[in-house]
C-alpha cells in the first residue's frame, strides 16, 4: 500500500471540536516525502491539535489524515511505529541520565536491549551528546536538553518527525545549533513537520510552509513564492496579511 | 502486541521507576524509616498494652507491614500524575507501546517495593525478638497477601489519580494520607 510516491502526510478536511470550540476547521494540506514543512500560526491557531491528530493522540471530529501511508484513525499503532515527536512541553525524564532516557525510549519502541544500546550511541554522537551520556537530564542546558529530546524521537528511525515549537526558549546560538541538527536529520531522508512562531526560522529551515489561523489553512507555499504572492518583503508581512492582522505602525 | 514487545516495554518502564527511586535516596530512606520508627518507638512505648497474643511488638509488626503496603500503594498513583503534568505521559502514549503496560509496570514496581519493605520490617522485628509462629511459609503468605492487598490499593490510587485533574486535588482527596 505504501509507495514512496505517496505524500508523507496527507490531511483532508480535518476538523476537531473541543466541546463548543472548533480548534480545527477543515484543514487540508500535503507534505511531500523528504520535505521540511512548517506550520505557522498565532497562538491557538490549531497547530498542536493538528500534530496530535497526526500522532494518533486525538481523534478528529471529521476529515481524514494519512501519515507515512497509514490512516491515523484506522491504524494508529502502525502510524506510531513510523513517526517521531518532540512535544511543545518537555519530553525527557529529568531524573534519568541521558543514556537512560535514550534506552527507555528505545524500549518503548520495542528495541532489544543490545540494539537499544547501539542505537542510543549512534544517535547521541551526531547530537553532540556523546560525552553527556551519564549526566542526569535535569542538569542539561535548554539547548542540550532539546537535542536529547530530538535524539529520543529518532530511536525508531521515523519516516516523519514532528517538532512542536522546537526552539522556544533557546538563545540564538542554541537555536542555530538546533537548525543544523534538524537539517542533518532531514538529509538522512526523514520528512519533518515543525511548528514555529519564529518566521525567520521558517524562512531558514522550511522547504514549504502552511499558514494556519483559527483552524483553517490560509496559505501554503514555498516561503519565497508566498512573499511574491503577498507582495511582501518578509515572511512576517505574509503572515500578518494571511491572518488578517495589521502591522502596528 | 507480541510477548517479546510486552516484555521489552515492561523492562524499561519498570527500570524507569527503579531509576527514579535511586535518584531520590531520601524518598527511599523515608520509605524504610517510617515503619522502623513505628516498631522501635511504639513497640517500646506500649509494651504493657494488653493485646491478643500478649506481646505488643509482635502484634504491631503485622500492622506495620499492612500500613507500609497501604501507604506505599496509595501514593503510588502520584508518580503517573507527575508524568501527566510534565507532559511525559503523553510522550509515552505517542510510542507504539501498549497503554496497559504503563499501569501493569507500576503494579509490578509497587509490589516489589512494598514486598521488600515488608520483608525488611519482618526481619527487623525478628531481630527485636519477634518470632513467627507460622514459619517461613507464613512469611511468604504474609507477603503474598500484602501484594494482593497492595494491588487493590494501587488500582484505587491510579483510578483516583486519573479521574482527578491535578496533583493538588489528589493530595486533598479524603482517601489520601497527605490530609492527616
Ligand atoms: N484539550 C483541549 N480541550 C479544549 N480545548 C482545547 C484543547 N486543546 C486545544 N484546545 C483549543 O483549541 C484551539 C487550538 O489549540 P492548539 O493548542 O492547537 O493551538 P496552537 O496553534 O498549538 O497554539 P500555540 O501557538 O499557543 O501552541 C485553542 O483555542 C485551544 O484553546
Ligand atoms: Mg501549540
Amino acid at each position: 500500500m505504501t509507495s514512496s510516491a505517496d505524500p508523507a502526510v496527507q490531511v483532508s478536511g480535518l476538523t476537531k471540536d473541543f466541546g463548543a470550540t472548533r480548534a480545527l476547521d477543515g484543514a487540508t494540506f500535503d507534505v511531500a516525502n523528504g520535505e521540511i514543512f512548517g506550520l505557522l500560526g498565532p497562538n491557538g491557531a490549531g497547530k498542536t491539535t493538528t500534530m496530535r491528530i497526526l500522532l494518533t493522540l486525538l481523534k478528529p471530529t471529521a476529515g481524514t489524515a494519512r501519515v507515512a501511508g497509514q490512516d491515523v484513525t484506522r491504524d494508529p499503532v502502525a502510524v506510531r511505529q513510523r513517526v517521531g515527536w518532540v512535544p511543545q512541553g518537555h519530553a525527557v525524564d529529568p531524573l534519568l541520565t541521558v543514556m537512560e532516557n535514550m534506552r527507555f525510549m528505545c524500549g518503548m519502541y520495542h528495541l532489544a536491549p543490545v540494539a537499544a544500546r547501539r542505537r542510543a550511541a549512534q544517535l547521541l554522537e551526531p547530537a553532540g551528546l556523546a560525552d553527556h551520556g551519564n549526566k542526569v537530564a535535569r542538569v542539561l542546558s535548554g539547548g542540550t536538553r532539546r537535542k536529547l529530546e530530538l535524539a529520543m524521537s529518532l530511536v525508531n528511525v521515523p519516516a516523519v518527525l514532528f517538532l512542536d515549537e522546537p526552539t522556544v526558549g533557546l538563545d540564538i546560538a542554541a537555536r542555530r545549533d538546533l537548525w543544523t541538527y534538524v537539517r542533518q536529520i532531514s538529509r538522512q531522508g526523514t520528512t519533518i513537520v515543525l511548528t514555529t512562531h519564529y518566521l525567520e526560522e521558517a524562512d531558514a529551515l522550511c522547504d514549504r510552509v502552511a499558514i494556519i489561523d483559527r483552524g483553517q489553512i490560509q496559505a501554503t507555499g514555498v516561503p519565497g513564492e508566498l512573499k511574491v504572492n503577498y507582495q511582501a518583503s518578509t515572511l512576517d508581512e505574509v503572515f500578518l496579511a494571511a491572518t488578517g492582522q495589521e502591522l502596528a505602525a | 502486541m507480541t510477548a517479546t514487545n510486552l516484555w521489552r516495554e515492561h523492562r524499561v518502564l519498570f527500570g524507569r521507576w527503579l531509576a527514579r527511586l535511586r535518584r531520590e535516596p531520601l524518598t527511599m530512606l523515608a520509605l524504610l524509616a517510617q515503619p522502623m520508627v513505628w516498631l522501635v518507638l511504639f513497640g517500646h512505648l506500649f509494651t504493657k498494652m494488653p493485646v491478643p497474643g500478649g506481646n505488643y511488638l509482635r502484634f504491631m509488626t503485622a500492622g506495620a507491614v499492612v500500613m507500609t503496603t497501604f501507604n506505599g500503594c496509595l501514593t503510588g498513583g502520584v508518580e503517573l500524575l507527575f508524568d501527566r503534568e510534565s507532559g511525559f505521559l503523553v510522550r509515552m502514549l505517542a510510542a507504539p507501546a501498549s497503554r496497559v503496560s504503563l499501569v501493569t509496570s507500576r503494579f509490578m514496581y509497587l509490589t516489589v517495593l512494598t514486598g521488600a519493605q515488608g520483608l525488611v520490617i519482618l526481619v527487623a522485628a525478628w531481630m527485636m525478638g519477634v518470632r513467627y509462629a507460622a514459619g517461613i511459609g507464613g512469611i511468604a503468605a504474609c507477603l503474598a497477601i500484602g501484594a494482593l492487598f497492595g494491588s487493590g490499593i494501587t488500582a484505587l490510587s491510579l483510578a483516583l489519580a486519573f479521574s482527578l485533574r491535578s496533583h493538588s486535588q489528589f493530595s486533598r482527596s479524603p482517601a489520601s494520607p497527605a490530609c492527616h
Side-chain angles (χ1 to χ4, degrees), chain A residues 52 55 57 77 80-81 85 87 89-97 100-101 103-105 107-113 136 152-153, chain B residues 4-6 8-9 11-13 15-16 19-24 79 83 86-88 90-99 102:
Chain A
R52 289 169 69 111
L55 289 158
L57 295 168
V77 177
R80 283 179 208 138
Q81 281 161 347
W85 176 39
H90 283 301
V92 297
D93 185 330
L95 289 183
L96 299 193
T97 64
E100 283 169 343
N101 266 300
R103 280 158 64 178
F104 173 77
M105 222 24 112
M108 294 299 277
Y109 285 84
H110 303 140
L111 263 73
V136 174
M152 282 166 76
S153 72
Chain B
T4 319
N5 286 350
L6 277 178
R8 285 176 185 163
E9 298 161 22
R11 199 175 160 278
V12 292
L13 283 163
R16 172 169 177 250
R20 286 179 69 88
L21 183 66
R22 260 207 322 276
R23 292 289 136 66
E24 307 210 291
E79 204 119 338
D83 277 347
S86 74
F88 198 74
V90 69
R91 178 65 191 86
M92 292 195 275
L93 294 179
S98 152
R99 276 87 184 94
L102 289 175

Side-chain angles (χ1 to χ4, degrees), chain A residues 162-181:
Chain A
F162 293 93
L163 308 175
D164 203 348
E165 302 192 15
T167 58
V168 158
L170 302 190
D171 65 41
I172 187 69
R175 186 174 303 163
R176 290 189 181 225
D177 194 26
L178 203 84
W179 292 355
T180 309
Y181 185 33

